[in-house]
Amino acid sequence: LDQNQYVQLLHLCAGAGEEHWPTGGKLMKELLEGEKMPELTEPMASGCIKLYDCLHQPEDAVQMWQRMRMLDLPRKRRTFAPLLALLSDGKRLQTALDVFKDSQTQGVDLLEEDFMNLAKACAAQSDAEQLASVLQAMMELIYTLKPTTLAEIEAIFTNKNVETATVQISAEDGKGLCPHCGETLRSIDLSPEELVEMCGQICTLAKVGDFQSQAFEAFKQWLLRRDPPDAVVDGANVGYYSLRPDQGETLNYQKVAEVVRWFVTRGKRPLLVMHSRHFGASAPMSSQDRQQVQRWKDDKILYATPPKMNDDWFWLYAAVWGSSVA
């Protein structure tokens, strides 16, 4: 076997389940202790660290990471993630912090599970200062947490007898102020260049054929003939909220109307985007629903997307485009 084949087998064994880890360990030993030790590469070293994680061999994983640094090999998330998982018990907290600093030096963005492994290591050693620093770094990079992650964070503070509180932050005043700690949520904004780039990417995804290209261009021209919307409403998403269309439940047009009305009464210009199938002759609509749809058309706030196209591309483009020209 050549080096690339060994590396592929290491990754396969690591991801194939516990019963295959010993086989991966034997292959790794052949690779690292053979008569013709190949030159260490990032895929090879990262594959070994991943397998060391499976085999619960933190010292060997740390040594491999140190060799990578000594040889100035690039380190990637696949290098750091298993390392932080192995070091999450806190027994080698300083090493875990060094790994974290190295990930920052390498410009690698960690995921929430990586931050949580580091946070657990800090908590295990009751290092409140480092824990706060890790959570701050996590907050700057991870904007939405999984429910399981939130539960883990709460458990860390509960176990350490630190006061916790569940609060609801209102967006009504547009400030995003937390009434418990007094912190203000950071506004996450894209640059004008990023907005233009995103518009181009959406167009590429939407224009999958001649019909789709013409239809999407028509939509873009329609947008240019009107003022940018203050808000874009995905009608189907709102209308099917808490409903099960797979079980025969139908779109709630009055719920959509309620959301649209919320913006209008506050002096906003909403754009309502919905697929044309929701307005056809066979659509399950009451006379009240059809009257409501006609009012949307009269007020020029409704755009019915054409058949054979995903309406998501339309409301997404409108939202990004509206932000770029506002």
Side-chain angles (χ1 to χ4, degrees):
L1 296 175
D2 62 26
Q3 180 180 344
N4 289 333
Q5 291 171 324
Y6 266 110
V7 171
Q8 291 172 358
L9 287 172
L10 291 183
H11 284 282
L12 284 172
C13 289
E18 187 172 356
E19 66 273 20
H20 297 284
W21 294 345
T23 301
K26 293 179 182 178
L27 289 170
M28 182 166 56
K29 187 175 182 179
E30 290 179 14
L31 178 64
L32 298 178
E33 300 178 7
E35 294 183 2
K36 295 182 179 180
M37 166 65 180
E39 180 180 355
L40 194 66
T41 63
E42 181 278 321
M44 175 181 169
S46 296
C48 290
I49 291 175
K50 183 177 181 180
L51 201 52
Y52 284 138
D53 178 27
C54 296
L55 298 170
H56 305 291
Q57 298 175 215
E59 296 299 338
D60 292 322
V62 170
Q63 288 178 13
M64 183 61 71
W65 164 66
Q66 291 171 337
R67 285 181 62 188
M68 294 179 74
R69 295 182 68 187
M70 183 180 64
L71 295 172
D72 198 26
L73 295 177
R75 278 85 72 197
K76 300 182 179 181
R77 184 188 169 257
R78 63 183 179 182
T79 311
F80 297 114
L83 272 169
L84 292 173
L86 276 170
L87 300 171
S88 62
D89 59 6
K91 294 179 181 179
R92 306 164 188 79
L93 177 57
Q94 188 54 55
T95 301
L97 294 172
D98 290 341
V99 170
F100 176 52
K101 291 177 183 177
D102 189 36
S103 72
Q104 294 178 309
T105 301
Q106 292 288 299
V108 174
D109 290 338
L110 301 179
L111 300 184
E112 59 186 281
E113 52 264 38
D114 308 324
F115 280 108
M116 283 309 303
N117 282 326
L118 189 55
K120 290 173 185 176
C122 295
Q125 292 298 318
S126 300
D127 194 327
E129 183 177 350
Q130 291 293 351
L131 176 59
S133 177
V134 169
L135 292 179
Q136 178 66 33
M138 183 179 183
M139 183 179 68
E140 293 175 357
L141 189 63
I142 310 296
Y143 303 137
T144 304
L145 298 179
K146 302 173 185 174
T148 52
T149 303
L150 290 171
E152 289 178 343
I153 293 175
E154 186 174 2
I156 287 174
F157 284 96
T158 302
N159 292 339
K160 296 302 176 183
N161 296 317
V162 177
E163 180 187 1
T164 61
T166 301
V167 297
Q168 182 173 355
I169 300 176
S170 172
E172 187 73 27
D173 59 3
K175 296 179 181 178
L177 182 68
C178 174
H180 182 71
C181 67
E183 290 286 334
T184 300
L185 296 181
R186 182 161 54 94
S187 175
I188 304 168
D189 301 307
L190 297 177
S191 68
E193 294 77 17
E194 290 172 326
L195 290 169
V196 171
E197 181 181 0
M198 186 174 291
C199 282
Q201 292 171 339
I202 296 170
C203 287
T204 300
L205 292 169
K207 297 178 177 181
V208 295
D210 292 340
F211 170 79
Q212 289 81 358
S213 295
Q214 294 175 8
F216 205 73
E217 279 300 319
F219 172 64
K220 291 168 62 178
Q221 293 302 315
W222 181 85
L223 285 175
L224 291 173
R225 295 193 297 269
R226 52 181 285 130
D227 293 329
D230 296 314
V232 181
V233 179
D234 176 7
N237 208 329
V238 173
Y240 280 123
Y241 179 73
S242 296
L243 298 178
R244 293 290 302 272
D246 59 317
Q247 295 182 2
E249 293 183 307
T250 59
L251 188 140
N252 188 331
Y253 293 84
Q254 298 310 309
K255 188 178 292 183
V256 179
E258 183 179 344
V259 171
V260 170
R261 193 159 44 246
W262 188 93
F263 288 107
V264 172
T265 56
R266 286 160 176 77
K268 303 296 184 181
R269 294 188 304 271
L271 167 61
L272 174 60
V273 177
M274 295 179 68
H275 197 278
S276 57
R277 67 174 176 273
H278 297 302
F279 312 115
S282 60
M285 303 169 64
S286 66
S287 59
Q288 182 184 11
D289 293 337
R290 294 195 179 277
Q291 291 173 6
Q292 179 61 68
V293 170
Q294 189 57 51
R295 283 194 293 271
W296 291 334
K297 293 179 179 179
D298 294 341
D299 294 339
K300 295 181 172 55
I301 64 172
L302 171 66
Y303 193 90
T305 65
K308 300 181 181 180
M309 292 195 72
N310 189 337
D311 58 332
D312 287 345
W313 299 132
F314 290 81
W315 67 256
L316 183 58
Y317 180 88
V320 176
W321 173 82
S323 299
S324 68
V325 299

